[in-house]
Structures are given as structure tokens and as C-alpha cells.
Amino acid sequence: MLSSILFSVLLALTGSFYPITVSANNDKGSSKVIHTKVLILGGGLTGITAARTLALEQKVDDFLVVEARDILGGRMRQGEIGGLKVEFGANWVQGLGSNPIWALTQKYGVKNQYSDWTSIDYFTGDGHDDEGLIEEALVRYEEKAYPKASEHAQIRERRGLPDLNMKAGLNLAGWKAQTPEEKAVEYFSFDWEQAEPPVMSSYIQSINSYNENFIGFGNGDNQLVIDQRGFKEIIVGQAREIPDFDKKVLYNQVVENIKYSETNVTVTTKAGYTIVAEYALCTFSIGVLQHDDVKFTPPLPDWKKEAIANFHLATYTKLFAQFDRKFWNDTEFTVYADPDERGWYTVWQSLDAPGFFPGSKIFFGTLTSDQAYQAELQSDEETKKQFMDVLRTMYGPDIPDPINFTYPRWTLDPLYRGSFTNWGAGATVKQQDDIRAPLPGNNDDGNTGKRLFFAGEGTSRRYFGYLQGAYFEGRLAAHYLADCVHQDCTPSESTLFAKRAAFEGEENTDEVKYKLRRRRRFPTA
């Protein structure tokens, strides 16, 4: 028997409530069964970009988006401190020029501010770095070690030589971080970007990632998003353009099981829904797939599980504090070289700086990898004490305690299990292809007969970890799905163009130079 189920859900387009009506087949008693042509699992950037591409470019309007939360956004998630919204997740447009994220930011009027990497100051365990030791090490890293490492990595890739870890690549380029200042520089220049240390990261792919994201678009500048609607507006804006989108999305639906076969995909949710689709796109993070938070029936094949296990969903944790007075100077960035532990509250940023939220008295630090995991397992009070111990080492014992303090716990959240994909040392191109490969079947027999597709920033060859990766992968997945809907999965010409955009980078030439973002110290206020 056919009936209609009416939902009132919060659609984060205008801050208002919109009704959603979904036709459901209730022939299983109290169960709720929905049939659709294409099912998209996840309302983040990949999922909504795929939905918009299907609706507006590929003439596929029979689809449904299933989202676990009550709003769109995925890992583009906000927190609040002192009445201001801050970005817990993605925060920067990284690489401007032809970057589609920059285009979306401009299209939807997302407020942003230029990040000035020259506005930086340095501290050690003894206070302000008056000797300039950190700056000297930074110049050596940026002007000598990294360019040499970049050149060698590209040679290795062209010659088909085995990949190394990034630490080995830097060592071969003459960089060996031994002093606290050198370790701080290495963290600032590498870990703070990739969310894991060089020894855990691919040499070739880390270099490729930097070149693609900060050179390939033609402008390596970064813009920090400060829009109070949230960076997620580039997702919400796309959803707004999809006709009748409010009837094509289900919120508050946590997926429990994904059953796939040669004929369809059946998804069940904790809220009791069963959704049957001819094709499905899974945009869950690599971390979610690693943690078995969702059951697959039949289980994922060994070749796919091995590939998923070998990639890293790292954690990039921002810790925000608001004070009753500002005690730091007007630089945007501060680097701290802890005398004992590499990566211990190394990078700090002021949101009170001109152009951001002047007068907010908000200062935040960043932790990654093991230090981030430690903070997640602690209480807010324990972490706040560590946070303040470092600040008092830098600025003296008389600075005040914060009046507000907050940070996310990405790894512990079953909807995310981390925040940033890093290409780990030892992970291969073939394994990334295996993560993306649709099911059932093997990875070497094309898309014909496939029903369950996978996509996300972690499956992006050129832009893994970045928003542009999520965007390109969403577009490519939509083309694959449309080919299956319209022509039995035979690739169309438009799909070949989408694949080229996702996979092929510009050729490296002598005229294309790396552009390192961080330069000289800003004078102390």
C-alpha cells in the first residue's frame, strides 16, 4: 500500500523549517520502505555535488540523499564560542585561481579573509624567539630542503622508482630535524598541512598534493572562511539549486547496513527505513569504513578492505579559547617550539586579528595526530590546562584563564572517525583505485553490472584530503551513475571529460615553480 510520510526537518538553507514528503511502501507492517533510482549516502560536499550534477547536468531526477544529521555539511561543521560561529572542520579555500571551491565561495557570497603568511611570530620554551632560530630554520626548510625534495620526488615518479616516506625524502634533501626549532618548522610546514608526520606520509604523493593544490590552480593564496552561515554554504547553495530538493533528502538517518547485489542496493537505517535503489553512491569517510560503523552485506571483498585499511583518515583538531582581554600581538600566526615534544601546540592563530573578528579576543591552537587523539580522550578541563600551560610559557604566568573553551572530537564521532585524508607511506595508487572501485565484482572489469559506487575526498588522486577533491569526485561519481542509468554504464563523452578533470594534472615544466606559503616574521607588537 502506498502512503506518504511527512517530515518536518531543519533544512539549513535559510534557517527555516521545510516539509519533506517521501512516498513509502508500507507493505512490511510498520516498516518504511522507499524505492529510488539512485541513492546518495551522505550530505557532505561529495554527495551534494553529485546530486546537483545528476539533477542539473545529467537529467537524472529520481534520486534520494540520506544524511545522518539534521543539516547538510559533512565535515564542514561549525562550533560556537562567545556568540561567534567558528569552523571546526574545513576552514580555508586553499589555492585560488581555477579552484572550483574558490568559484563556489564567490558564487554563494561566502565571506572570507586573506591569510597572510608573513604575519607570523615565533616562541620557544624560553619565551619569544629573539635569536631568530625558528625563522632561520624555516628559511632553510623552505628555500633549500623542500625545493630539493620536491625535485627528487618528481624524478622518482617519472622514473617509476619506489615511493618513500616523506621523512626519508627530506633526509635525502639534506633536512634532518634535530633541534626543537627544526622540529617546530617541520611540523608547521608539513604536519599542519597533512595532519600526520612525514614518517607516516607518502613522499611522492605528499609532494604531488602540494603541487596540485597550491600551484596547479595558478594562485597559491589561501582564504580563511569567516562566514557566520558556515563554509557549508557552498554545499547548501548547491542543494538550493536542485529542483524540489526538500523532497529528495532524508535527514536524521544513520545507516546501519548496506546490502548490495547485481540487481540493486538495499540500505537500512537506525530509524527503521529500508531504501531500495538501482544504484547507490557511498560517500562515507575512509575512517568510517575502517571502523566498521556500517555493515556491508556481503562483506567488502578483501582487496577493498586492504586498500581502505592502508589509507589514513587523520585528525586535525582546532582548540578555540576566548579571553576577557587580548594578551597576544597582532600577528595572524604564532609558531611555538616546545623543548620536549614535537608537535605540542606548535601552531596558533588569532581570530582577533584585523579582517577576521577584531575584538573577539579568540585565540586558537591546532593539534594533529597523536596529540589530537590524546586531547579527544581527555576532559575539556584537562586539555584547557595543557593549552594554558603552553600559552603561559609563551606570554608569561599572569595571563588570564579563558572565559570560553571548545574543541571537536572527530575521531570519536562515528559519523566521521577523523577529519583529513592523508596518503600514508606504503599506500599505492592501485589501492586508492580499489577504494573507489564499485561493487559487486572486481576492480578491473569496468562499471558494467556495478551497483554500489564509492567517492569522497579520500578517493581523489590529485586533491586527496581537500575540498576540491570532494568536489571533483562528486562530479565524476555522478557521471558514472548517469551513464548506468541512461546507457548501461557505457562511458559518455562528458564522463571522459569529468574523469580527465579529476585525474589529470598539468605537466610540470621549468616555468612552474612551487610556491611555499610561509615566509618572514612579523615584527612583535
Side-chain angles (χ1 to χ4, degrees):
M1 181 179 69
L2 294 177
S3 64
S4 292
I5 300 173
L6 183 64
F7 299 89
S8 289
V9 295
L10 180 64
L11 182 60
L13 302 180
T14 65
S16 304
F17 283 91
Y18 285 74
I20 294 178
T21 303
V22 179
S23 296
N25 185 347
N26 289 335
D27 58 0
K28 292 188 178 182
S30 61
S31 67
K32 300 173 281 282
V33 181
I34 301 171
H35 291 267
T36 186
K37 180 76 72 173
V38 176
L39 176 61
I40 298 173
L41 300 176
L45 183 58
T46 299
I48 300 305
T49 299
R52 184 188 181 281
T53 304
L54 286 173
L56 301 187
E57 299 180 28
Q58 296 300 314
K59 298 181 180 179
V60 176
D61 60 7
D62 183 3
F63 63 84
L64 180 67
V65 177
V66 169
E67 167 55 38
R69 299 168 66 213
D70 61 357
I71 59 174
L72 302 176
R75 281 171 275 164
M76 300 179 78
R77 184 162 69 92
Q78 289 176 293
E80 185 171 333
I81 184 168
L84 282 173
K85 298 289 183 65
V86 291
E87 299 292 340
F88 276 170
N91 214 152
W92 278 275
V93 183
Q94 295 179 291
L96 307 184
S98 60
N99 186 346
I101 303 304
W102 180 232
L104 291 174
T105 300
Q106 295 175 300
K107 177 180 180 179
Y108 301 120
V110 177
K111 187 177 181 180
N112 59 87
Q113 174 66 27
Y114 172 68
S115 283
D116 183 0
W117 304 106
T118 68
S119 179
I120 184 171
D121 207 356
Y122 308 104
F123 288 79
T124 70
D126 296 322
H128 190 266
D129 182 21
D130 294 325
E131 297 182 41
L133 298 177
I134 301 176
E135 181 180 2
E136 183 276 329
L138 183 60
V139 171
R140 278 193 288 116
Y141 182 93
E142 291 196 337
E143 297 185 1
K144 295 181 180 180
Y146 186 87
K148 189 174 182 180
S150 179
E151 180 183 358
H152 288 179
Q154 293 175 64
I155 292 172
R156 291 189 73 86
E157 184 174 35
R158 286 198 297 268
R159 293 179 177 177
L161 298 175
D163 196 5
L164 306 172
N165 67 61
M166 186 67 187
K167 181 179 177 66
L170 288 171
N171 283 347
L172 291 172
W175 175 262
K176 298 175 177 61
Q178 297 176 326
T179 68
E181 293 79 16
E182 291 170 334
K183 292 175 182 178
V185 163
E186 184 179 272
Y187 181 93
F188 178 51
S189 298
F190 188 85
D191 300 42
W192 193 51
E193 192 65 53
Q194 300 303 130
E196 287 186 320
V199 73
M200 296 178 64
S201 307
S202 163
Y203 177 30
I204 290 174
Q205 298 302 337
S206 295
I207 296 294
N208 285 345
S209 173
Y210 190 94
N211 290 340
E212 293 288 358
N213 287 287
F214 298 105
I215 301 172
F217 294 121
N219 184 333
D221 288 344
N222 285 201
Q223 301 288 127
L224 188 81
V225 169
I226 54 176
D227 198 304
Q228 290 299 283
R229 296 171 299 171
F231 204 171
K232 67 180 183 296
E233 182 63 19
I234 68 170
I235 297 174
V236 173
Q238 291 191 83
R240 192 184 294 121
E241 296 174 359
I242 299 171
D244 296 321
F245 180 74
D246 57 321
K247 297 179 181 179
K248 298 179 181 294
V249 60
L250 279 178
Y251 293 100
N252 299 309
Q253 298 298 317
V254 177
V255 173
E256 285 190 318
N257 185 273
I258 301 173
K259 182 179 180 181
Y260 61 95
S261 69
E262 294 181 354
T263 57
N264 60 33
V265 178
T266 301
V267 169
T268 55
T269 73
K270 287 185 178 180
Y273 278 89
T274 298
I275 307 165
V276 182
E278 292 185 25
Y279 303 96
L281 172 63
C282 178
T283 70
F284 298 156
S285 75
I286 287 173
V288 169
L289 298 178
Q290 288 172 337
H291 278 77
D292 298 323
D293 291 308
V294 178
K295 181 181 179 182
F296 287 85
T297 306
L300 296 177
D302 288 344
W303 53 266
K304 184 175 281 287
K305 288 192 290 187
E306 178 182 293
I308 291 169
N310 209 29
F311 269 71
H312 301 177
L313 191 67
T315 297
Y316 188 103
T317 300
K318 289 178 279 187
L319 306 97
F320 295 87
Q322 185 178 44
F323 297 87
D324 60 8
R325 66 180 175 88
K326 179 183 173 185
F327 52 81
W328 56 94
N329 60 33
D330 287 331
T331 60
E332 289 183 32
F333 300 95
T334 301
V335 172
Y336 168 69
D338 188 83
D340 301 314
E341 184 173 347
R342 181 187 182 279
W344 187 246
Y345 291 93
T346 299
V347 184
W348 300 81
Q349 291 173 255
S350 173
L351 289 182
D352 201 282
F356 296 90
F357 300 120
S360 66
K361 303 178 183 67
I362 296 174
F363 204 38
F364 74 96
T366 301
L367 296 175
T368 60
S369 199
D370 289 344
Q371 289 94 346
Y373 305 144
Q374 177 182 335
E376 289 188 333
L377 295 173
Q378 297 174 164
S379 68
D380 284 11
E381 287 301 315
E382 290 174 304
T383 302
K384 183 167 65 175
K385 182 182 183 305
Q386 294 170 344
F387 183 98
M388 291 307 301
D389 285 346
V390 175
L391 283 181
R392 288 185 170 120
T393 297
M394 294 163 62
Y395 296 103
D398 297 328
I399 63 173
D401 286 328
I403 56 176
N404 291 299
F405 184 74
T406 186
Y407 65 97
R409 289 172 169 82
W410 290 106
T411 312
L412 300 182
D413 193 323
L415 298 184
Y416 308 107
R417 298 299 188 186
S419 59
F420 184 94
T421 298
N422 183 36
W423 195 305
T428 66
V429 168
K430 173 64 163 58
Q431 286 173 328
Q432 193 194 49
D433 288 342
D434 286 347
I435 296 173
R436 182 193 291 104
L439 297 173
N442 298 315
N443 186 18
D444 54 1
D445 54 4
N447 291 342
T448 302
K450 304 303 174 66
R451 298 289 172 172
L452 177 59
F453 291 74
F454 295 82
E457 46 83 24
T459 62
S460 173
R461 180 81 83 249
R462 298 167 63 187
Y463 310 113
F464 60 89
Y466 291 86
L467 293 175
Q468 42 266 35
Y471 176 84
F472 280 118
E473 289 297 297
R475 284 187 53 80
L476 179 58
H479 281 79
Y480 286 153
L481 290 164
D483 287 343
C484 290
V485 170
H486 293 313
Q487 50 194 45
D488 196 28
C489 298
T490 302
S492 63
E493 185 175 358
S494 67
T495 298
L496 298 179
F497 281 114
K499 186 174 182 179
R500 185 178 304 164
F503 278 83
E504 294 182 10
E506 297 180 5
E507 292 294 325
N508 290 317
T509 69
D510 291 338
E511 288 73 31
V512 177
K513 302 293 184 182
Y514 60 87
K515 179 181 179 181
L516 292 165
R517 297 173 296 156
R518 300 149 186 134
R519 284 292 182 249
R520 297 290 189 263
R521 182 173 63 198
F522 192 84
T524 305

